[in-house]
Amino acid sequence: MAAPPTIELEGLTRRYGDREALSDVTLTLEPGATLVVFGPNGAGKTTLLRVLATLLRPHGGTARVLGHALPAEAWRVRGKVGFLGHAPLLYRDLSARENLAYYARLHDVPAARVEELLERVGLADRASDPVHTYSRGMVQRAAVARAVLHDPPVLLLDEPTANLDPAATHLVDELVGKGSGRTRVVTSHDPVGGLAEADVVLGLRGGRAEIVGPPSREVGRDAIGALYR
Amino acid sequence: MYGSRLQTLAIASVVTLAGGFALAAFYAPMDADQGFMQKIFYLHVPLAIVALGGFVFGAYQAVQHLRTGDPSRDLKSYVAIHMSLILGIGALVTGSIWARASWGKWWVWDEPTLVAFLIIFLLYCTYQPLRFSIEDRDRQARYASVFAVTAGVFTPLNFLAVRLADPLIHPRTLDSQDNLPGEMRLAFLVCLLGMALLYVTLWKFELTHKHARAQLRSLKRKLGAADAARGRSAAPEATVS
Amino acid sequence: MSDNLPDNGGYVAAAYLVFPALVLIYVAIMAIRLSRLERDLAQLNEAADRPAPDEVAEPREEVRAT
Amino acid sequence: MGRAVSALLRKELRLELRTPQVIPAMALFGVTTLVIFHFSLQRDTVEGDLAAGVLVVTLLFAAMLGINRLFVADHEEGGFDGFLLAPVDRTAMLVAKALALTGFLVVVELLLVPAFGFLLLGPAMTFELLWKVAAILLLADAGVAIVGTLVGALAIQTRARDLIVPLIGLPLLVPVVIGAAKALAPALDAAGAGALPGRWLAILGLYDLVFGLVAYAVFDFLLED
């Protein structure tokens, strides 16, 4: 029997007070595939990622990640998703190494993995400096290392390459890019780059799914451009 | 519907309370130590006991809210605490008057029950500001319930601590309810029952009002009439069922 | 009863007055809320008399504007 | 659970060692409060129940500072999200924070109690006295730490954090104040130290136990969203 879809959403709804940040979103994502989420600011992209990461509970509809229903089986999902949001989730007064060591203990990952990742994101020589001395690109690289520390099968990425130069983008791509072999949900504002890596496209506007499906003539740059108008 | 049996409850509480006060005035004997002043007892103590009971009832509803996530439980907890605060003001004022009549001072620190009550009252006074300072409605409801549960457990513990703090209590009717003469006891119990009925009546009354307003709002939305923008509020929204 | 009414009977009266005062304040607040409910209901009643206010009212204004 | 608690505790300790914020502020505030007591009471020495009250109030107000800061780094730098994403029991956060706060309080007391003995206390500080004070304060610290963690977590998500902490925390801690002050008073008496009043230690212990259970039951609801 084939593995269940990694992400299954049906009628997913999430409210903030009276406002619906996500309403009636339905989609399926197969293992290893990449979902690219487009939409203007406030369309619900971050809310969707936070629901999938079990940080927000859904208010309506069903959501399944790796076959586990949210929020009832959220504890099974935790530790199997890597989350990279706008905030790096790093303590500013601790060094990158100390931050990663802390998360390694929480996730029960051997300490050797921390050094390996520091090397791979190119932070080995600055790993002992406090995070608040880093440039934004370095913070982002440290955050990427944090997100993949426990080798999660699912990645939830909110504009992962926003603050990075091309060389750093290349380093990060090995860990969280399409070649990393993980199922990915990526938000993007870049129709060209986003469409190139997407297996499924989700276009959000005001919390509603205006576009759902694989890239095609209909699901293309024009349709995505229309979201922002 | 919250409004059902409201009429019966209202009549029952008025009859019981009036009967209780009448018993206190004409049937219960004069207190040997305090004389006529002791009559405040029949008002003050039921007020205080029902207010405290209301806080604990609010905590019970809060537990149910956390357990089931049912927003109507949060509303019930909110209204219960709200009503208890109103009765609490009454208990503090009448207690203060009693202290003035008995010892010539408006406030006495060696009356542990009064002091414990004040601490609990001060704690519950922060319930509304706490709610008001949280914008997200779901979080507001959840945090308010956490507060209500904690404060509900605190209530008896605080009484224990304050009471033990002052072992030399003045010999008072208040602390010797077990050996109240039979007539006094009957009058007191009727007053207590009346006050409890009044509390339940007011609680249901307030719930009915909130529910009616919520239904009105939902009807307004359905008819497309302009709904006034709702500002940040400490009160939970009733759900239309 | 009145013959043994002591000097500080006033305190007892005051205490028993606190109670109806509280209830009356509550009634006053509820009265304000009730009138607000009534006003809203009157508005709704008007809205219900005009059928489908959204669809009728808006185009009419557009016609006037052009 | 043990792994998560130790990870959290190490992180907490490291943060405080890297940029000492909480403990120096608490200690400084405590010493200043003692000086203020000297002037406001217009006394050179205090003893008995007055001494107990001064010490307890000073420690309580210093603790309020610590409670206010307890979750700030986690809230502002995303540590809550990072913790919630990990496959660990949420109670670990409660245990680790309460232990960290207890630790902070103990360190502050190691500085403040000698300062109190030096500046204000009438009877001389003997080892027997210190031992009694330590036992009482440890029980009180546990209560302050448990309730402080609960109130701190409650307040951190509100708009009026620094108002909510003392408004809710101080009334909730009144039984601890009563218990600690009553237990300390005979120990600090000038006429010769009295025995440890077991009843008050029992009250403090009961308070710790009850609020420990309450905090365990409700803490998860403060974290989820």
Side-chain angles (χ1 to χ4, degrees):
Chain A
M1 204 187 106
T6 307
I7 291 170
E8 273 182 288
L9 307 178
E10 199 167 328
L12 178 67
T13 299
R14 165 74 203 197
R15 287 182 297 276
Y16 290 113
D18 292 334
R19 194 175 64 84
E20 286 198 344
L22 277 182
S23 42
D24 203 17
V25 175
T26 302
L27 67 87
T28 316
L29 190 67
E30 296 300 326
T34 294
L35 169 69
V36 179
V37 187
F38 292 101
N41 294 329
K45 300 190 299 292
T46 303
T47 305
L48 176 66
L49 286 193
R50 289 182 70 84
V51 169
L52 292 176
T54 76
L55 290 174
L56 287 176
R57 42 175 64 223
H59 285 153
T62 56
R64 286 176 166 274
V65 177
L66 295 163
H68 307 303
L70 299 181
E73 295 177 303
W75 55 278
R76 286 176 183 275
V77 177
R78 276 176 214 132
K80 296 196 179 106
V81 294
F83 179 76
L84 184 63
H86 281 297
L89 310 190
L90 299 170
Y91 289 93
R92 291 166 47 79
D93 288 329
L94 296 182
S95 69
R97 181 176 284 126
E98 286 165 336
N99 266 300
L100 291 185
Y102 160 62
Y103 283 113
R105 274 191 215 102
L106 275 188
H107 284 273
D108 206 8
V109 172
R113 171 84 177 151
V114 172
E115 296 304 323
E116 179 206 328
L117 277 172
L118 285 171
E119 201 72 48
R120 286 184 66 179
V121 297
L123 282 175
D125 50 334
R126 291 285 305 275
S128 300
D129 296 345
V131 170
H132 68 78
T133 64
Y134 290 6
S135 69
R136 288 179 67 179
M138 291 169 72
V139 171
Q140 184 71 359
R141 278 184 276 158
V144 167
R146 192 217 79 236
V148 298
L149 189 64
H150 48 294
D151 201 12
V154 183
L155 283 176
L156 308 168
L157 311 167
D158 211 347
E159 298 176 56
T161 53
N163 297 318
L164 298 177
D165 59 35
T169 306
H170 179 71
L171 281 176
V172 165
D173 248 7
E174 282 181 19
L175 289 168
V176 298
K178 197 159 172 62
S180 64
R182 299 180 165 103
T183 313
R184 306 185 314 139
V185 179
V186 188
T187 70
S188 174
H189 286 304
D190 167 25
V192 183
L195 279 171
E197 60 176 341
D199 296 307
V200 183
V201 172
L202 173 65
L204 287 174
R205 188 177 185 178
R208 302 200 158 271
E210 307 258 311
I211 308 170
V212 187
S216 65
R217 265 244 296 274
E218 289 78 44
V219 181
R221 288 171 65 172
D222 293 342
I224 292 162
L227 291 172
Y228 291 84
R229 277 195 286 277
Chain B
M1 283 294 136
Y2 293 109
S4 61
R5 294 202 306 277
L6 199 51
Q7 195 184 1
T8 328
L9 262 171
I11 294 169
S13 47
V14 168
V15 168
T16 321
L17 211 51
F21 288 155
L23 282 176
F26 304 114
Y27 173 69
M30 279 295 166
D31 187 71
D33 298 335
Q34 300 210 359
F36 187 59
M37 255 154 25
Q38 185 263 348
K39 299 289 183 201
I40 301 179
F41 168 81
Y42 301 102
L43 176 64
H44 167 70
V45 179
L47 270 174
I49 290 180
V50 171
L52 292 174
F55 287 139
V56 174
F57 178 61
Y60 165 75
Q61 295 293 351
V63 169
Q64 295 299 324
H65 172 240
L66 290 178
R67 233 168 45 85
T68 62
D70 176 3
S72 78
R73 295 287 191 167
D74 175 47
L75 181 70
K76 285 175 181 168
S77 168
Y78 171 84
V79 175
I81 289 171
H82 187 74
M83 286 299 137
S84 276
L85 274 172
I86 294 176
L87 292 194
I89 294 172
L92 281 174
V93 173
T94 52
S96 176
I97 290 172
W98 197 2
R100 169 76 181 162
S102 293
W103 302 299
K105 280 187 277 182
W106 290 108
W107 188 259
V108 282
W109 285 106
D110 50 3
E111 172 46 57
T113 320
L114 206 55
V115 174
F117 194 86
L118 176 70
I119 296 163
I120 290 164
F121 184 78
L122 286 176
L123 176 63
Y124 273 99
C125 280
T126 59
Y127 179 72
Q128 299 251 5
L130 173 70
R131 289 197 80 113
F132 194 70
S133 66
I134 304 172
E135 277 156 69
D136 183 73
R137 283 192 169 276
D138 293 322
R139 175 175 282 162
Q140 184 191 78
R142 214 168 52 239
Y143 277 38
S145 287
V146 166
F147 173 89
V149 173
T150 312
V153 173
F154 172 79
T155 300
L157 205 64
N158 177 59
F159 259 88
L160 180 72
V162 176
R163 242 166 201 280
L164 284 173
D166 226 317
L168 300 167
I169 327 162
H170 292 243
R172 294 259 315 271
T173 40
L174 202 113
D175 297 296
S176 52
Q177 276 159 33
D178 295 334
N179 44 33
L180 274 181
E183 294 93 344
M184 280 188 178
R185 192 193 184 86
L186 178 69
F188 169 71
L189 286 178
V190 175
C191 285
L192 183 60
L193 179 68
M195 198 60 80
L197 280 171
L198 179 71
Y199 178 87
V200 177
T201 310
L202 291 180
W203 180 70
K204 284 195 82 133
F205 189 46
E206 185 87 22
L207 279 177
T208 311
H209 170 261
K210 289 222 186 303
H211 193 225
R213 205 182 48 183
Q215 280 195 316
L216 192 64
R217 274 210 178 117
S218 128
L219 198 59
K220 241 180 173 177
R221 272 196 292 268
K222 278 183 201 156
L223 281 173
D227 191 7
R230 255 164 296 165
R232 200 146 54 96
S233 150
E237 200 65 17
T239 42
V240 178
S241 48
Chain C
M1 178 159 165
S2 54
D3 49 5
N4 58 5
L5 218 159
D7 306 335
N8 46 16
Y11 288 118
V12 178
Y16 273 87
L17 275 177
V18 166
F19 179 63
L22 266 180
V23 174
L24 279 179
I25 291 170
Y26 183 74
V27 167
I29 291 169
M30 284 315 277
I32 296 168
R33 290 162 151 196
L34 186 63
S35 62
R36 208 176 295 154
L37 268 186
E38 195 187 14
R39 205 182 51 216
D40 281 4
L41 269 176
Q43 271 178 13
L44 263 188
N45 218 345
E46 271 174 43
D49 284 343
R50 297 180 308 238
D54 282 342
E55 289 100 68
V56 182
E58 280 171 19
R60 209 182 280 157
E61 278 177 5
E62 272 178 25
V63 170
R64 218 179 290 151
T66 43
Chain D
M1 174 93 173
R3 170 171 52 86
V5 171
S6 89
L8 281 161
L9 261 182
R10 277 200 215 188
K11 182 260 301 171
E12 211 67 42
L13 217 67
R14 215 167 245 151
L15 270 175
E16 185 58 27
L17 286 177
R18 182 63 45 84
T19 44
Q21 284 184 321
V22 182
I23 292 176
M26 287 167 79
L28 200 61
F29 182 79
V31 174
T32 313
T33 310
L34 288 179
V35 173
I36 284 174
F37 267 123
H38 159 71
F39 287 113
S40 60
L41 297 173
Q42 300 183 37
R43 297 235 194 158
D44 292 340
T45 58
V46 290
E47 61 197 36
D49 46 6
L50 187 58
V54 167
L55 184 59
V56 170
V57 166
T58 305
L59 291 176
L60 185 70
F61 285 178
M64 285 296 142
L65 289 190
I67 295 168
N68 248 331
R69 302 294 307 175
L70 193 60
F71 287 100
V72 171
D74 306 278
H75 181 63
E76 287 174 359
E77 291 158 38
F80 276 127
D81 285 350
F83 172 75
L84 292 178
L85 285 166
V88 294
D89 193 342
R90 274 104 193 271
T91 309
M93 177 74 103
L94 169 71
V95 175
K97 286 286 180 182
L99 284 176
L101 187 54
T102 312
F104 292 173
L105 287 169
V106 168
V107 173
V108 168
E109 279 156 9
L110 286 177
L111 294 164
L112 269 186
V113 171
F116 173 66
F118 185 68
L119 290 172
L120 274 177
L121 188 63
M125 277 275 178
T126 59
F127 271 114
E128 202 205 337
L129 176 68
L130 279 177
W131 176 83
K132 278 181 191 155
V133 170
I136 296 163
L137 287 184
L138 210 59
L139 274 175
D141 287 349
V144 172
I146 290 165
V147 171
T149 306
L150 197 58
V151 174
L154 194 72
I156 194 74
Q157 306 278 12
T158 66
R159 283 157 50 110
R161 181 177 76 221
D162 28 5
L163 294 179
I164 295 288
V165 164
L167 276 181
I168 297 180
L170 288 177
L172 274 179
L173 288 170
V174 166
V176 175
V177 172
I178 296 173
K182 288 274 174 186
L184 279 170
L188 300 175
D189 207 13
L196 264 189
R199 185 170 62 157
W200 293 109
L201 294 184
I203 292 274
L204 284 174
L206 180 70
Y207 183 93
D208 297 352
L209 179 72
V210 169
F211 275 96
L213 290 174
V214 169
Y216 172 72
V218 299
F219 191 75
D220 283 11
F221 295 105
L222 298 179
L223 291 181
E224 71 183 50
D225 226 332

